[in-house]
Amino acid sequence: QADPMQHTAGRYRGVGLQEYVHRIVNFREQCDFEYTFCTMLWLCIDPRRVYRNAEYHSRTKHQWARDDPGFIVVMVGLIVCSTTAWSLALGQWSVVSWVCNIAYEVLVDFVGLGLVAAGIAWLVTSGRAVAGSGERDSLESHGEEEYAQAQQLEFAYAFDVHCNSYFPLFLMLHVLHYLLLPLLLGSGHLSGLLSCSLYFWAVSYYTYLTFLGYNALPFLRHTEFIILPIGAFAILAILGVVVRFNPTVSSTQFFFAPETDEFEAGGGFDLI
């Protein structure tokens, strides 16, 4: 079976992997940050527009994946800023712990999760979800062999879908979450309700944007199964409220204990 990373390298028409890394290293001159920030805005107010642009990109450059690493560069910068803010708010002054938390957020939560999600999507769609051979033969018979060959899921595009979906989740679980910490770190029932609701909306919107990303590809079918986990997320959120589980407390204790306990003792609210 083909290696997805090798497949990705073969799919790039506009820029090779070495050039892509070069652009990340020299991001000040190589990245289009204006377009990156516009994309981030569209992901929050009109996500379908992002994938309409991806379709146009596929027709002009014969690849669905972005060849501009600006989105990744900005996301890493935002993660560093948010982790710093969380460390200061929860009284974590250890430089080692700060570096470890940043490394975990970038390499595991952002990049690691993206590689796993992209790899699973590439393997599944390459075997079962792509358009049938009859449709591809029809394209080739009309002199569009190159276009037909291009209609395969790119591993790099699958990672782009993750990056797009991750940004609104980041805003909810890193920024809004941070602003609501005095409320969410309380020991009352309302704190748990708000925390479970916030996590539910964050992962649900991540799932919805992932669905939009794959649904935009005209050669994929049955992409609606991607949104099915939202029902399971809703059940888990309800169960979490019933058993008085607070994901905010659990996550902050994982990253910042024992600072979280001190924060709760000094500034957390006991809501209901």
Side-chain angles (χ1 to χ4, degrees):
Q1 189 173 16
D3 180 6
M5 293 305 293
Q6 293 178 353
H7 179 78
T8 300
R11 299 306 310 164
Y12 270 108
R13 305 293 183 85
V15 57
L17 182 60
Q18 182 177 358
E19 175 64 20
Y20 192 81
V21 174
H22 173 75
R23 291 185 180 185
I24 293 179
V25 175
N26 299 277
F27 61 89
R28 293 185 179 181
E29 297 82 13
Q30 299 292 331
C31 295
D32 185 355
F33 290 113
E34 181 179 357
Y35 178 76
T36 296
F37 290 127
C38 286
T39 299
M40 290 179 167
L41 176 63
W42 293 335
L43 287 170
C44 297
I45 63 177
D46 187 13
R48 294 181 183 273
R49 181 173 180 177
V50 174
Y51 293 110
R52 288 197 297 268
N53 289 340
E55 181 178 3
Y56 174 77
H57 186 268
S58 72
R59 296 183 181 277
T60 57
K61 295 192 176 182
H62 305 291
Q63 68 178 46
W64 286 84
R66 289 188 288 256
D67 52 12
D68 183 355
F71 200 101
I72 296 176
V73 173
V74 172
M75 276 308 314
V76 171
L78 291 175
I79 290 173
V80 172
C81 292
S82 71
T83 303
T84 302
W86 278 74
S87 298
L88 294 176
L90 295 175
Q92 186 182 72
W93 306 107
S94 171
V95 175
V96 174
S97 298
W98 173 72
V99 172
C100 289
N101 284 338
I102 290 177
Y104 183 90
E105 291 287 353
V106 173
L107 300 179
V108 178
D109 272 6
F110 179 47
V111 177
L113 176 62
L115 292 176
V116 171
I120 293 174
W122 187 87
L123 291 174
V124 171
T125 57
S126 64
R128 292 186 297 178
V130 295
S133 58
E135 299 176 27
R136 186 164 300 163
D137 291 342
S138 175
L139 285 171
E140 293 177 358
S141 66
H142 288 83
E144 300 183 10
E145 181 175 359
E146 180 180 354
Y147 180 76
Q149 292 174 349
Q151 301 310 285
Q152 300 176 20
L153 178 62
E154 304 165 10
F155 186 87
Y157 176 78
F159 186 77
D160 283 348
V161 170
H162 160 74
C163 292
N164 292 340
S165 303
Y166 187 87
F167 175 67
L169 180 143
F170 169 86
L171 292 181
M172 285 184 269
L173 295 187
H174 286 250
V175 181
L176 181 60
H177 202 186
Y178 173 81
L179 297 175
L180 296 178
L181 272 181
L183 297 176
L184 300 179
L185 281 178
S187 59
H189 184 72
L190 183 57
S191 296
L193 173 63
L194 293 175
S195 181
C196 287
S197 299
L198 180 61
Y199 272 82
F200 167 72
W201 287 113
V203 297
S204 295
Y205 196 63
Y206 176 94
T207 304
Y208 172 68
L209 289 185
T210 301
F211 160 72
L212 290 183
Y214 293 113
N215 191 57
L217 300 176
F219 50 88
L220 295 187
R221 60 186 180 184
H222 306 310
T223 55
E224 61 274 4
F225 79 92
I226 296 175
I227 61 176
L228 293 180
I230 294 180
F233 298 153
I235 295 175
L236 290 176
I238 294 173
L239 290 177
V241 173
V242 171
V243 302
R244 300 178 70 102
F245 173 69
N246 190 323
T248 299
V249 172
S250 298
S251 62
T252 51
Q253 285 179 343
F254 175 78
F255 286 105
F256 302 102
E259 289 83 357
T260 300
D261 297 330
E262 298 175 358
F263 183 90
E264 288 183 275
F269 295 121
D270 294 329
L271 299 178
I272 305 181

